[in-house]
Amino acid sequence: MLRFKNIWEVAYPIILGMIAQNLINLIDTAFLGRLGEVELGAAAIGGLFYYVLFMLGFGFGTGAQILISRRNGEKRYKEIGKLTDQTLFFLLVFSIIVFLFVHYFSQGLLDLIVSSDRVGQAANSYLSIRNYGIIFAFLNVGARAFFVGITRTRILSYGAIVMAIVNIVLDYALIFGHFGLPAMGIEGAALASVIAEGAAVVFFLAYVKIKIPSEQFSLFRFKSISFTAIGKILDVSIYVMLQYFISIAGWFYFFLVIEQTGEHNLAISNIIRSIYMILIIPVFGFGTAANTLVSNSIGRDGTVYVRRIIWKTVALTMLSSIVIMGISLMMPQSMIALYTDNQKLLIDSIPALYVVIWVLPIFSVSVVVFSGISGTGNTGMALLIEVGTIMLYLFFVYYFAISLQWSIDRVWFSEYVYSSFLGLFSIIYLYSGHWKKKQI
């Protein structure tokens, strides 16, 4: 019988790791907020362009994680090493393809879609350096798939802490020019992130070498490409890759729409996005736990426990969200003050922050149930749910911001549209029972 304690033991290291990872975004945004609204907006545009492509690799890693979780539940440990090796090889090759795409095409694309010349130039400067971290980022995705799949999630928090510390120190040094280093501004933030991701790769490799019994999992025995293994991973992950790509592309579209309404609104939205990503860390941590626990349970012939796992995880997620809401509602101005000393920007950001705080309970239910569905292996249905939800979301973003010309805080009500429909579609499918037929 799965207890709340078991869910927490899997989830909390993931949550700690995500906190450390998101500290990178928080620190970047806080430092760049001291430079100006253009830098804040450019980091949002450039960063989201990067993450749209990164999520393709992250989706492949999630598919691999689902398979590794299933083999772990089935106690077929030798196959885990083979899956991990092929995952790392695929991600390495894929990262080089993404790097070349960004290197040759990103500037032209951003020039076409960003209306402000100042924001566009700064975003291109940021992305030209940030792009070098894509190889490290994809290798970290492969490591994450392995550790989450075998439920050794604690190491992720240690790796993320290493990455956060390196990034914070280098942000301070490279953005403003301390410790004898040049003041690089927005390019310094990008370079700091690249080095931090490289440090995490080194840490994970050292940990595997010292702590993980390679014989048990047959790790790092790569001899040749196994198209069968990669095809098996792609069979599960291709839908996740598209799902994540579409999801982050929706965020990217949101910021492009906001950019059309002015640099001030774009700066506000980048601050709110950064805070929002911190607030929803427990939600995604518990969602990842639900994903891997569902897959492990099905691997042990525990299909009957899937709904119970999901709803117990929802209960823990809701509890954490209520606590976070209470704390956030008591100190909204202090939270925003971390990012800017511009009083007008601070005051104008507060209404939008209230909007995203109150969406947390709905988001908690939606993400965990949706993640549980992905854990069953039916990632094709998860993709359909995401596509349907994003289409509604994009329509309302444009309608609120451009057609109705609402204030920026009211445009953020589009998050309620996304969360509500994601949850509705996911719950309907969960209780349909069709996911029980999926074999991976």
Side-chain angles (χ1 to χ4, degrees):
M1 178 69 69
L2 186 74
R3 300 178 179 178
F4 287 113
K5 179 183 177 183
N6 304 127
I7 300 171
W8 175 246
E9 287 174 347
V10 174
Y12 91 84
I14 300 172
I15 293 170
L16 289 177
M18 293 179 72
I19 289 172
Q21 286 177 322
N22 278 275
L23 276 175
I24 292 175
N25 175 60
L26 186 154
I27 297 299
D28 279 356
T29 307
F31 281 147
L32 292 173
R34 267 63 187 180
L35 294 181
E37 293 184 355
V38 170
E39 288 79 6
L40 263 178
I45 297 293
L48 282 169
F49 187 95
Y50 173 88
Y51 277 109
V52 166
L53 298 173
F54 165 76
M55 280 298 167
L56 289 171
F58 191 82
F60 184 85
T62 301
Q65 171 205 312
I66 292 169
L67 279 170
I68 291 169
S69 297
R70 188 65 52 88
R71 300 298 172 258
N72 192 57
E74 295 166 348
K75 302 187 185 303
R76 295 160 61 183
Y77 300 122
K78 297 293 184 183
E79 291 190 27
I80 290 176
K82 183 178 180 180
L83 285 169
T84 303
D85 288 351
Q86 297 296 325
T87 296
L88 290 171
F89 173 78
F90 179 89
L91 287 171
L92 179 60
V93 173
F94 191 35
S95 67
I96 295 171
I97 294 171
V98 172
F99 172 85
L100 293 173
F101 174 82
V102 173
H103 183 75
Y104 287 107
F105 298 108
S106 63
Q107 182 168 347
L109 288 171
L110 287 177
D111 287 344
L112 284 174
I113 57 182
V114 176
S115 60
S116 168
D117 290 338
R118 295 197 303 166
V119 170
Q121 289 172 7
N124 279 313
S125 296
Y126 176 86
L127 197 56
S128 65
I129 294 177
R130 188 74 177 89
N131 186 34
Y132 285 93
I134 197 70
I135 295 175
F136 299 136
F138 275 24
L139 291 177
N140 283 326
V141 164
R144 181 184 186 276
F146 172 71
F147 289 120
V148 173
I150 64 173
T151 68
R152 296 193 186 187
T153 52
R154 185 174 299 177
I155 181 57
L156 298 178
S157 59
Y158 299 150
I161 289 169
V162 168
M163 186 163 59
I165 291 172
V166 171
N167 190 81
I168 291 169
V169 172
L170 291 179
D171 260 352
Y172 178 73
L174 293 171
I175 292 175
F176 301 113
H178 295 289
F179 310 131
L181 296 172
M184 298 174 63
I186 193 170
E187 293 178 345
L191 181 57
S193 297
V194 171
I195 297 172
E197 286 170 336
V201 170
V202 172
F203 176 81
F204 285 135
L205 287 175
Y207 183 89
V208 169
K209 184 70 174 176
I210 296 169
K211 293 289 189 178
I212 298 296
S214 58
E215 287 296 325
Q216 178 184 359
F217 296 107
S218 296
L219 277 173
F220 304 137
R221 305 291 172 82
F222 184 86
K223 295 180 179 178
S224 62
I225 304 171
S226 172
F227 292 104
T228 301
I230 291 176
K232 190 74 173 177
I233 299 170
L234 279 171
D235 186 52
V236 176
S237 66
I238 188 66
Y239 301 110
V240 186
M241 293 168 72
L242 292 172
Q243 170 208 318
Y244 285 152
F245 177 83
I246 291 168
S247 178
I248 300 300
W251 267 96
F252 186 59
Y253 174 84
F254 175 90
F255 275 84
L256 289 178
V257 170
I258 299 304
E259 191 266 340
Q260 294 181 40
T261 68
E263 294 173 357
H264 185 67
N265 284 343
L266 185 60
I268 290 172
S269 291
N270 195 16
I271 291 173
I272 299 304
R273 179 183 73 99
S274 182
I275 296 174
Y276 189 36
M277 294 306 294
I278 297 293
L279 298 181
I280 61 179
I281 283 172
V283 178
F284 283 115
F286 282 114
T288 301
N291 182 291
T292 196
L293 288 170
V294 163
S295 191
N296 266 280
S297 181
I298 294 174
R300 296 189 178 99
D301 294 323
T303 302
V304 67
Y305 299 115
V306 166
R307 290 178 188 168
R308 192 175 304 174
I309 290 169
I310 290 173
W311 287 116
K312 280 190 172 184
T313 309
V314 166
L316 285 176
T317 313
M318 285 286 287
L319 178 61
S320 69
S321 293
I322 290 170
V323 172
I324 290 170
M325 282 180 62
I327 296 171
S328 301
L329 289 170
M330 290 189 293
M331 45 186 280
Q333 188 164 333
S334 298
M335 294 169 69
I336 297 170
L338 292 172
Y339 295 88
T340 182
D341 49 13
N342 182 321
Q343 286 300 305
K344 178 171 175 52
L345 187 57
L346 190 155
I347 292 170
D348 290 349
S349 298
I350 291 175
L353 179 57
Y354 280 123
V355 172
V356 299
I357 289 173
W358 284 103
V359 80
L360 287 176
I362 306 172
F363 195 73
S364 298
V365 177
S366 301
V367 167
V368 173
V369 178
F370 180 74
S371 297
I373 288 172
S374 295
T376 68
N378 201 340
T379 51
M381 179 53 65
L383 173 63
L384 289 176
I385 291 172
E386 183 71 35
V387 168
T389 304
I390 285 291
M391 288 178 66
L392 289 166
Y393 172 76
L394 296 182
F395 168 79
F396 279 99
V397 166
Y398 187 86
Y399 183 66
F400 292 162
I402 305 300
S403 299
L404 296 181
Q405 297 185 347
W406 276 2
S407 59
I408 189 61
D409 56 299
R410 297 176 72 186
V411 174
W412 272 91
F413 272 103
S414 54
E415 289 302 309
Y416 288 81
V417 174
Y418 177 82
S419 298
S420 299
F421 281 101
L422 183 70
L424 176 63
F425 295 152
S426 298
I427 291 170
I428 290 173
Y429 180 72
L430 176 65
Y431 281 91
S432 73
H434 292 306
W435 50 270
K436 297 178 183 177
K437 304 173 185 177
K438 183 68 176 178
Q439 299 292 322
I440 61 172

